[in-house]
Amino acid sequence: MYKHFLKSGAILILVGFSQLISAQTKIEIVSIENSPTISKHIYGHFAEHLGRCIYEGFYVGENSVIPNSEGVRIDIIEALKELQIPNLRWPGGCFADTYHWMDGIGDLEKRPTIVNTWWGGVTEDNSFGTHNFLNLCKELGAEPYLSGNVGSGGVQELADWVQYTNFKGKSPMSDLRRENGKEEPWGVKYWGIGNEAWGCGGNMRPEYYADIYKKYVTFMSDADVEGGIYKIASGASNDDYNWTEVLMKNIPKNMLQGVALHHYSVIDWGAKGPDVNFDEETYFKTMKESWLMEELIVKHTAIMDKYDEEKKVDLIVDEWGGWYEVSEGTNPGFLYQQNTMRDAMIAGMNLNIFNNHADRVKMANLAQAVNVLQAVILTDKEKMILTPTYHVMNMYKVHQDATLIPLSFDSPMYSFDNESLPALTVSASKDSSQKVHISFTNIDTKKSNTVVIDLNEFKLKNINSTILSSISLQDHNSFENPNKITPKNFKDFKFAKGVLELTIPPFSVIVVEGDMM
């Protein structure tokens, strides 16, 4: 069986092998004393100049017949407001290290074009730029997270962008901002110093990148941002633990607030499998890759702990999600894929993992927000649909800035072809309004799993629950049937004498809520 033990954000995993499947899974609450806060920024998003994410996704232009605000679709704005997205990362991704921000400001007619060499080789007109993005974030109530160009851009270019967005006084860049119609600065706090420096960001060695990082941040002014700007180093891909080791060892902690980590649930980079018509073998392999996030966080944070016992440097999982072959008939460079119940499983599982590691994981960014990879929103001209992933994130938003409730349990196993994975992930929290929330994801394709949890410690009343489920793993929302999969009230539970008993159907996500007396 799989032993899951969570205490104050730390996780110990013991894995054994057994063919016995228990009828019930008992979940126990571990002491909540000194538990970390689940940062709202774990529920962040990512918008890259890739395919139809920005152009024909977020941005349709002010002259579009589609209702818009400064060129950004109003229906997308409203949908993301409903999600209460805490931050949005832009402009990349690989695109970030080819993007020169000054090409995207000023008179539209005078802006140079750019060829997106990373994604489809299309020519962009730079009509969506810094002002559009930062004004969008302000309208959403989300913190902007800007990815700086370190691969092909210079130190002065990044320093000027910081000054342009943040400086209140008189300077060349703040004067330029005012000329372009923005009197007051936006106050951008979160900055990525390049992206995937080990790959598309420059194919650098970690030692070289550590030196480059220190050079760039030296010239990034902390002025006019409360607490200073928050600088995020381009971190490891998957299990490149040496990358994290070198960065933590060589970069002074006063120059470093976060280290990134990228991990996608992709079964084979050469044969990713279909986005909709997948079989159970492909699904199982995808879940196996998704579960790897747990191991990666444990091992990367162990290295961070070695150099930073006080946990002053955060782990930032700023790219995660499912990655498959593109939808049939679409541009292979645009990474457009449908979003099925498989994606709901990835979302529920990973958000539970992030919540349970809230002592180190302080931000995460689902890739990506609109029309790319595991998107929460898909568009087709004037039409827009919300995906199963959107609904999971909407259900889970109750955990934002709540106190983690550590849990301990033995998960039943999901088995396929002589391999097994833990079927259940669970996370729980208590918020400032004295509500307790518990989120469950069951990835098993066939078996319901019943859980029992004693909640007497919280003296709960008014228990209710919501479920996201469907008949088939391959089910998805389409432009013809946009509401095929939506959250529904769930009543298959018992709550008596402070004890909750809940049966979780196959491949479903459930969130339970209760009020403390």
Side-chain angles (χ1 to χ4, degrees):
M1 300 296 286
Y2 167 85
K3 179 70 175 178
H4 203 69
F5 178 68
L6 307 134
K7 186 174 183 181
S8 298
I11 295 186
L12 174 66
I13 302 175
L14 302 174
V15 180
F17 297 94
S18 172
Q19 298 302 314
L20 299 176
I21 303 295
S22 59
Q24 290 184 339
T25 296
K26 184 177 181 181
I27 300 176
E28 296 182 348
I29 296 171
V30 184
S31 174
I32 198 172
E33 186 178 359
N34 299 320
S35 283
T37 297
I38 298 172
S39 172
K40 66 180 181 179
H41 289 294
I42 284 173
Y43 291 81
H45 293 262
F46 176 28
E48 183 172 1
H49 286 243
L50 197 173
R52 295 191 301 112
C53 183
I54 299 298
Y55 300 108
E56 298 184 29
F58 275 98
Y59 188 74
V60 293
E62 294 186 36
N63 296 323
S64 174
V65 297
I66 299 172
N68 66 84
S69 173
E70 296 184 7
V72 177
R73 293 177 64 132
I74 290 176
D75 52 1
I76 288 181
I77 291 172
E78 292 175 347
L80 294 180
K81 279 184 176 179
E82 172 65 22
L83 277 190
Q84 299 175 11
I85 73 166
N87 67 75
L88 186 59
R89 181 176 181 243
W90 175 85
C94 291
F95 182 82
D97 284 295
T98 59
Y99 181 69
H100 300 282
W101 69 271
M102 292 191 75
D103 292 344
I105 61 173
D107 190 337
L108 281 173
E109 295 181 357
K110 296 180 180 179
R111 295 183 189 180
T113 59
I114 182 174
V115 177
N116 193 330
T117 55
W118 289 109
W119 306 115
V122 296
T123 300
E124 299 182 9
D125 64 4
N126 273 309
S127 56
F128 186 93
T130 296
H131 286 250
N132 304 83
F133 175 70
L134 296 181
N135 291 343
L136 167 63
C137 287
K138 184 176 181 180
E139 188 162 3
L140 291 173
E143 292 275 4
Y145 170 12
L146 291 179
S147 295
N149 183 346
V150 170
S152 68
V155 174
Q156 188 65 53
E157 181 178 1
L158 184 52
D160 284 347
W161 205 11
V162 174
Q163 187 179 98
Y164 187 90
T165 58
N166 290 354
F167 190 58
K168 295 179 181 178
K170 181 176 176 55
S171 73
M173 290 300 106
S174 56
D175 287 349
L176 180 60
R177 182 190 69 240
R178 294 184 183 98
E179 289 176 17
N180 290 328
K182 187 71 169 68
E183 179 66 29
E184 295 298 319
W186 293 276
V188 178
K189 185 177 184 67
Y190 296 98
W191 293 84
I193 316 306
N195 168 77
E196 296 189 354
W198 40 264
C200 63
N203 286 302
M204 304 177 194
R205 296 179 301 110
E207 293 83 2
Y208 180 78
Y209 173 72
D211 287 340
I212 288 289
Y213 175 92
K214 288 183 286 187
K215 180 179 180 180
Y216 274 73
V217 301
T218 296
F219 297 96
M220 297 173 69
S221 173
D222 283 334
D224 295 304
V225 174
E226 184 177 353
I229 61 176
Y230 185 105
K231 297 171 282 291
I232 301 168
S234 174
S237 172
N238 300 311
D239 59 354
D240 186 354
Y241 301 115
N242 180 61
W243 188 277
T244 300
E245 181 101 28
V246 171
L247 266 54
M248 292 299 297
K249 180 179 180 180
N250 293 329
I251 300 175
K253 302 306 169 287
N254 64 344
M255 301 179 76
L256 181 66
Q257 283 73 52
V259 173
L261 171 66
H262 290 181
H263 173 61
Y264 287 95
S265 300
V266 56
I267 62 173
D268 185 334
W269 287 104
K272 303 181 189 73
D275 62 335
V276 173
N277 297 317
F278 54 90
D279 55 19
E280 185 169 4
E281 179 181 6
T282 300
Y283 170 77
F284 185 89
K285 289 179 178 178
T286 304
M287 293 301 102
K288 187 176 180 179
E289 286 298 317
S290 188
W291 252 117
L292 186 58
M293 184 67 80
E294 169 73 25
E295 177 182 320
L296 295 174
I297 291 175
V298 169
K299 291 185 176 180
H300 281 290
T301 55
I303 294 168
M304 296 173 73
D305 289 345
K306 184 166 68 171
Y307 296 97
D308 177 31
E309 294 181 359
E310 296 180 354
K311 300 183 185 294
K312 292 184 177 180
V313 180
D314 302 328
L315 184 63
I316 310 297
V317 189
D318 56 18
E319 290 188 30
W320 68 274
W323 192 326
Y324 325 116
E325 302 296 346
V326 301
S327 291
E328 187 175 351
T330 65
N331 188 322
F334 283 9
L335 305 188
Y336 178 88
Q337 60 190 41
Q338 250 298 349
N339 198 285
T340 67
M341 283 300 299
R342 172 175 60 176
D343 296 279
M345 298 300 98
I346 293 173
M349 176 194 295
N350 279 272
L351 291 172
N352 281 333
I353 291 171
F354 298 152
N355 289 347
N356 289 327
H357 284 286
D359 63 328
R360 271 290 191 190
V361 179
K362 299 298 183 181
M363 182 186 288
N365 300 82
L366 176 68
Q368 293 182 13
V370 182
N371 289 334
V372 172
L373 298 177
Q374 192 174 339
V376 293
I377 293 170
L378 300 177
T379 67
D380 179 15
K381 299 180 177 64
E382 76 285 353
K383 298 178 182 179
M384 185 195 81
I385 57 175
L386 307 177
T387 68
T389 298
Y390 177 97
H391 294 306
V392 172
M393 296 200 82
N394 204 23
M395 292 164 66
Y396 273 51
K397 70 185 180 185
V398 293
H399 292 301
Q400 292 187 22
D401 283 344
T403 300
L404 177 70
I405 299 174
L407 305 172
S408 173
F409 65 97
D410 291 315
S411 175
M413 305 302 282
Y414 162 42
S415 299
F416 177 82
D417 196 21
N418 298 318
E419 285 193 88
S420 295
L421 295 170
L424 297 180
T425 55
V426 187
S427 65
S429 67
K430 181 182 72 171
D431 68 18
S432 59
S433 64
Q434 300 301 294
K435 291 182 181 293
V436 168
H437 296 98
I438 311 171
S439 51
F440 306 86
T441 296
N442 176 21
I443 66 171
D444 200 306
T445 59
K446 299 178 179 65
K447 295 176 183 174
S448 295
N449 283 297
T450 300
V451 298
V452 176
I453 179 169
D454 188 336
L455 296 168
N456 275 288
E457 177 178 342
F458 299 105
K459 298 180 174 58
L460 295 182
K461 61 179 181 179
N462 302 329
I463 300 294
N464 62 79
S465 64
T466 304
I467 187 170
L468 191 76
S469 63
S470 197
I471 296 172
S472 168
L473 269 171
Q474 293 78 13
D475 284 348
H476 56 277
N477 292 333
S478 66
F479 295 103
E480 296 72 31
N481 188 2
N483 297 310
K484 182 179 182 69
I485 302 171
T486 57
K488 296 177 174 59
N489 289 333
F490 183 69
K491 298 182 179 181
D492 190 11
F493 68 87
K494 300 175 183 177
F495 186 68
K497 297 182 179 180
V499 176
L500 175 70
E501 182 177 329
L502 179 79
T503 299
I504 311 165
F507 56 95
S508 66
V509 177
I510 294 175
V511 174
V512 174
E513 178 181 274
D515 296 315
M516 296 178 64
M517 296 182 187

